[in-house]
């Protein structure tokens, strides 16, 4: 009952946000421009928060939600590009594809393998570590910029994720041996 109330409240919030942004965009700009960015952003939120709940009896709900999420992220990039009239769309697709490559390895592993959950968590942590450590340098290459900030915090976070993954595996192996 509480879960159902949460989802209804969340979706009413999405609807209120959409209507408010629609009205504001029309009143302020006398056209629909940035509203489409908000629309796709809310669809992305809906896909993450509500769609899996609606598909709860479906075995492949996370797979379906992930496909929709991926498409919507690319659509969001197109919407932002259309609003800003920039030249960065192809580069943003490269960066999103880099991140989605690792995201999809994880999704496919979780859905279509029978690996023990502790190993799935460990593999996911390693995938997150790779994305955490290498996304900023990849962006610098794709965008041909030199980031003035150090990537040291990302490297430390990635190393901690790998250490956690190794710890989970060691714990699982030791528990397996004791039984």
């Amino acid at each position: 009952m509480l879960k159902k109330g949460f989802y209804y409240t969340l979706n009413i919030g999405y609807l209120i946000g959409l209507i408010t942004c629609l009205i504001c965009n029309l009143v302020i700009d006398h056209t629909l421009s940035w509203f489409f960015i908000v629309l796709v952003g809310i669809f992305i939120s809906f896909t993450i928060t509500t769609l899996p709940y609606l598909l709860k009896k479906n075995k492949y709900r996370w797979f379906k939600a992930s496909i929709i999420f991926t498409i919507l992220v690319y659509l969001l990039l197109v919407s932002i590009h259309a609003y800003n009239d920039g030249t960065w769309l192809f580069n943003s697709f490269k960066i999103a594809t880099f991140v989605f490559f690792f995201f999809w390895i994880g999704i496919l592993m979780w859905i279509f393998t029978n690996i023990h959950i502790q190993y799935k968590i460990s593999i996911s942590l390693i995938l997150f570590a790779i994305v955490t450590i290498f996304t900023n340098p990849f962006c610098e290459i794709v965008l041909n910029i030199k980031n003035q900030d150090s990537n040291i915090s990302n490297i430390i976070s990635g190393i901690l994720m790998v250490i956690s993954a190794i710890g989970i595996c060691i714990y699982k192996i030791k528990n397996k041996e004791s039984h």
Side-chain angles (χ1 to χ4, degrees):
M1 184 69 175
L2 183 62
K3 195 178 202 181
K4 197 179 251 187
F6 171 75
Y7 285 108
Y8 284 128
T9 303
L10 187 63
N11 291 316
I12 289 169
Y14 290 151
L15 187 59
I16 290 169
L18 276 177
I19 293 169
T20 303
C21 289
L22 174 72
I23 292 168
C24 287
N25 194 197
L26 287 173
V27 168
I28 294 169
D29 297 328
H30 307 292
T31 186
L32 290 177
S33 54
W34 54 264
F35 170 75
F36 295 109
I37 297 170
V38 174
L39 178 66
V40 176
I42 288 178
F43 281 156
I44 289 171
S45 297
F46 177 85
T47 301
I48 294 168
T49 60
T50 304
L51 189 60
Y53 173 75
L54 296 175
L55 299 172
K56 63 183 169 194
K57 294 188 187 327
N58 188 299
K59 180 179 177 184
Y60 298 108
R61 69 177 179 229
W62 290 107
F63 181 72
K64 291 176 181 180
S66 295
I67 289 172
I68 293 168
F69 172 75
T70 302
I71 292 167
L72 287 172
V73 167
Y74 285 107
L75 184 58
L76 179 64
L77 293 172
V78 169
S79 300
I80 294 168
H81 175 77
Y83 178 70
N84 289 325
D85 198 31
T87 58
W88 52 268
L89 184 63
F90 185 63
N91 287 336
S92 68
F93 274 24
K94 286 181 196 176
I95 294 165
T97 302
F98 173 79
V99 173
F100 275 126
F101 175 79
F102 296 98
F103 171 78
W104 274 99
I105 289 172
I107 291 295
L108 294 173
M109 174 202 53
W110 274 91
I111 295 171
F112 296 110
T113 67
N114 290 326
I115 301 170
H116 192 277
I117 191 165
Q118 288 169 311
Y119 295 133
K120 286 182 179 183
I121 291 168
S122 295
I123 293 168
S124 297
L125 282 169
I126 291 169
L127 292 171
F128 288 144
I130 292 168
V131 170
T132 301
I133 292 169
F134 293 106
T135 298
N136 283 352
F138 184 76
C139 290
E140 290 176 12
I141 292 167
V142 169
L143 300 174
N144 196 25
I145 58 172
K146 179 61 183 145
N147 189 354
Q148 303 301 331
D149 296 330
S150 172
N151 198 33
I152 194 72
S153 61
N154 290 357
I155 293 169
I156 292 169
S157 296
I159 290 169
L160 291 173
M161 286 184 239
V162 171
I163 291 169
S164 298
I166 292 168
I168 291 169
C169 287
I170 290 170
Y171 176 79
K172 173 65 180 150
I173 291 168
K174 284 189 175 194
N175 275 351
K176 190 184 238 183
E177 290 173 0
S178 66
H179 287 108

